[in-house]
Amino acid sequence: GAGEAVRDGGIGDKTSRTDSNRTSSSVGKAIVHLWDFVCPETKGRTVSCVSWNKSAPDLLAVGYGSLDFLAGSTSFPGALGGTTAAQDASVASDDGKSNDAFAETVDASKNKNAKGLVAFWSLKNPLVPEWVFETDHGVTAIDFSPTEFNLLAVGTRDGTVSVYDARLKNGTGANSQDASGETSSKKCDPVLKAGDGVPGKHADPVWGLRWVRVGVGVGDEVLVSISSDGRVTQWRLKKGLEFQDLMRLTRVAKRVTVGDTSGDGSKKSSTKTATSKKTTSEAYISRAGSGLCFDFNPNDCTKYIAGTEDGTIHGCATAYSETYLRDYHGHAGPVQRVAWSPFVSEVFISASDDWSLKLWVESDPDSVLTLQSRSAGVSDVAWCPRNATVLASGSHDGSVDLWDLSVSTLKPVASACTTGAGKVSCVSFSEVSPVLVSGNAGGYVGVYRLVGVTDGPGADEVKRLQAVMGGSSVS
């Protein structure tokens, strides 16, 4: 079966789409393209987010939005300044890539309305999704519950937060097949929903959504969402969806960096607060911040970091709704993703439209390492769950990069181009298999096998990560 193929490295002819021209590697590490999760119902939609099920780790929930909406939106994290689909296709052509596949997805998207889609794919079945259901608006964020494994939280572009029960796939959300035998989706009603008059609904798209454990018992978890309306909101499920704003993001004065001649992403020699009349004026045109992403500390559920559209990362605590613990400056474009290291709880990474990844230590407002491999915005980054120095990133040029910081901080150890010419919107490692998945603007979810990526030595993971960070203080 496909599951065995993932583990053994083999795959049948019908699902194999490996192309030596689409992968590159060094030092014995590689990303091998196995197949793409795609079907007529999903093709032409933008893959916006993915989430692995915590109980059935081969099951992947994928959220889809409208390509037209995402291509033309200036607030979408993947669109710095906003571009049209035609402009994106032109850029792809200028880069020497064929834009036929991208043009095909644009044409397909025109035949779909603004509704969103959620599909459940399994590594055991690459050809057909297990279940597909439609949402009223494009899906922008998604996450499976870590304790109630059947619950799936979904955030949409209109600001709605909903919770679906995956066990209802044989009920109102069941799939049907048309005369041609193709899978078609039906509407599935959420078990809980914040929207349509329910208090707490976000005014802008929900860009991040995460279940957070707040206790040790089953069900001791809350939902947290972030939106470009500036709100970081907590949702409790015991009495419907009760909301509480953890933070209303506000902009802070940026710092101007001077004396940086190293060019290697190391700490800057000095910084100062911008005081020019122009900068001060811009800072107060709108005090409201625009949130794009967040992540809670894996060892402390009261601390989290939030990435914003103006490039600033805020260190926050659930106990303080109006004050930041610390501001992290360094990015010159919107911060698409922030993620704590699963091995070292004081370290986190960020991805930005300014073409870079930055590594940070919680106690230091300056980044300790900058990674940059290509002239394109970075839309997502993910830590490998089995090796402290390995991570993956996806870029607007359709590339997926695999980094091993113990080998090189100057370039990835392996790279791959995704199917079609669409931007990579998300990347995610499997928790139990040597598998990496990526979603793009053409509706394709690429499945890749990791070659040469071994588990870290365990007890030495803190020292290994500290070493690649130049000896930065990590407890």
Side-chain angles (χ1 to χ4, degrees), residues 96-141:
K97 300 178 182 178
S98 170
N99 60 11
D100 292 341
F102 189 78
E104 179 183 351
T105 62
V106 173
D107 291 339
S109 70
K110 292 179 180 179
N111 297 324
K112 303 181 189 296
N113 55 26
K115 292 182 180 293
L117 203 71
V118 175
F120 297 86
W121 295 92
S122 172
L123 293 178
K124 300 177 181 178
N125 182 8
L127 301 178
V128 182
E130 302 293 312
W131 179 34
V132 178
F133 69 83
E134 199 173 66
T135 59
D136 291 333
H137 301 274
V139 177
T140 51

Side-chain angles (χ1 to χ4, degrees), residues 355-377:
W355 305 356
S356 73
L357 299 163
K358 288 184 181 293
L359 203 63
W360 311 78
V361 175
E362 181 185 6
S363 59
D364 193 336
D366 297 302
S367 63
V368 297
L369 188 64
T370 297
L371 310 176
Q372 183 175 338
S373 67
R374 57 187 73 249
S375 299

Side-chain angles (χ1 to χ4, degrees), residues 15-164:
T15 57
S16 177
R17 300 186 186 183
T18 301
D19 185 344
S20 59
N21 293 326
R22 291 173 49 204
T23 62
S24 63
S25 62
S26 62
V27 297
K29 294 179 172 60
I31 305 175
V32 179
H33 181 247
L34 298 178
W35 65 76
D36 292 306
F37 286 136
V38 65
C39 65
E41 189 71 11
T42 63
K43 192 173 184 180
R45 299 175 183 264
T46 291
V47 178
S48 55
C49 45
V50 296
S51 178
W52 295 97
N53 186 274
K54 279 66 174 180
S55 176
D58 65 293
L59 185 64
L60 182 72
V62 181
Y64 300 83
S66 165
L67 183 64
D68 290 337
F69 160 71
L70 296 179
S73 171
T74 57
S75 63
F76 173 59
L80 181 58
T83 59
T84 64
Q87 289 171 329
D88 284 336
S90 176
V91 170
S93 179
D94 292 340
D95 288 340
K97 300 178 182 178
S98 170
N99 60 11
D100 292 341
F102 189 78
E104 179 183 351
T105 62
V106 173
D107 291 339
S109 70
K110 292 179 180 179
N111 297 324
K112 303 181 189 296
N113 55 26
K115 292 182 180 293
L117 203 71
V118 175
F120 297 86
W121 295 92
S122 172
L123 293 178
K124 300 177 181 178
N125 182 8
L127 301 178
V128 182
E130 302 293 312
W131 179 34
V132 178
F133 69 83
E134 199 173 66
T135 59
D136 291 333
H137 301 274
V139 177
T140 51
I142 200 169
D143 194 32
F144 266 118
S145 168
T147 58
E148 302 288 341
F149 306 123
N150 54 297
L151 295 184
L152 179 72
V154 176
T156 55
R157 73 177 195 195
D158 71 323
T160 297
V161 173
S162 304
V163 178
Y164 292 84

Side-chain angles (χ1 to χ4, degrees), residues 56-349:
D58 65 293
L59 185 64
L60 182 72
V62 181
Y64 300 83
S66 165
L67 183 64
D68 290 337
F69 160 71
L70 296 179
S73 171
T74 57
S75 63
F76 173 59
L80 181 58
T83 59
T84 64
Q87 289 171 329
D88 284 336
S90 176
V91 170
S93 179
D94 292 340
D95 288 340
K97 300 178 182 178
S98 170
N99 60 11
D100 292 341
F102 189 78
E104 179 183 351
T105 62
V106 173
D107 291 339
S109 70
K110 292 179 180 179
N111 297 324
K112 303 181 189 296
N113 55 26
K115 292 182 180 293
L117 203 71
V118 175
F120 297 86
W121 295 92
S122 172
L123 293 178
K124 300 177 181 178
N125 182 8
L127 301 178
V128 182
E130 302 293 312
W131 179 34
V132 178
F133 69 83
E134 199 173 66
T135 59
D136 291 333
H137 301 274
V139 177
T140 51
I142 200 169
D143 194 32
F144 266 118
S145 168
T147 58
E148 302 288 341
F149 306 123
N150 54 297
L151 295 184
L152 179 72
V154 176
T156 55
R157 73 177 195 195
D158 71 323
T160 297
V161 173
S162 304
V163 178
Y164 292 84
D165 189 341
R167 293 175 301 187
L168 299 180
K169 67 179 183 179
N170 295 320
T172 60
N175 288 340
S176 62
Q177 291 187 336
D178 55 24
S180 64
E182 296 180 350
T183 302
S184 60
S185 61
K186 288 186 176 180
K187 182 69 178 296
C188 179
D189 295 325
V191 293
L192 295 170
K193 182 178 180 180
D196 297 331
V198 177
K201 177 178 176 294
H202 286 287
D204 283 347
V206 178
W207 295 125
L209 193 60
R210 184 69 59 87
W211 296 90
V212 179
R213 294 292 300 270
V214 293
V216 295
V218 176
D220 289 341
E221 58 186 358
V222 296
L223 263 178
V224 179
S225 60
I226 192 170
S227 169
S228 42
D229 65 3
R231 294 168 54 211
V232 181
T233 304
Q234 174 181 285
W235 307 86
R236 291 189 176 273
L237 279 63
K238 293 185 177 180
K239 296 181 179 179
L241 276 179
E242 295 182 331
F243 82 99
Q244 175 188 353
D245 286 340
L246 299 180
M247 177 70 71
R248 286 186 175 269
L249 299 173
T250 56
R251 296 189 181 189
V252 295
K254 288 189 176 182
R255 299 180 303 170
V256 175
T257 301
V258 296
D260 178 22
T261 58
S262 61
D264 61 357
S266 58
K267 285 188 180 181
K268 312 302 183 296
S269 59
S270 64
T271 58
K272 64 179 180 179
T273 302
T275 57
S276 66
K277 182 177 180 181
K278 179 180 179 181
T279 303
T280 303
S281 176
E282 290 178 346
Y284 287 93
I285 289 176
S286 173
R287 287 298 304 271
S290 181
L292 299 182
C293 55
F294 72 93
D295 194 24
F296 272 76
N297 189 289
N299 289 350
D300 187 349
C301 64
T302 66
K303 295 192 301 184
Y304 63 97
I305 46 177
T308 64
E309 192 172 29
D310 64 6
T312 305
I313 301 171
H314 302 296
C316 308
T318 56
Y320 303 100
S321 60
E322 297 181 354
T323 304
Y324 302 131
L325 298 181
R326 182 172 282 104
D327 296 319
Y328 303 91
H329 298 279
H331 282 300
V335 178
Q336 307 287 5
R337 183 71 63 198
V338 288
W340 293 98
S341 165
F343 292 92
V344 186
S345 61
E346 295 87 0
V347 173
F348 65 92
I349 191 133

Side-chain angles (χ1 to χ4, degrees), residues 407-428:
V407 175
S408 175
T409 58
L410 299 178
K411 63 180 182 178
V413 294
S415 299
C417 294
T418 57
T419 302
K423 300 174 182 178
V424 174
S425 54
C426 52
V427 293
S428 181

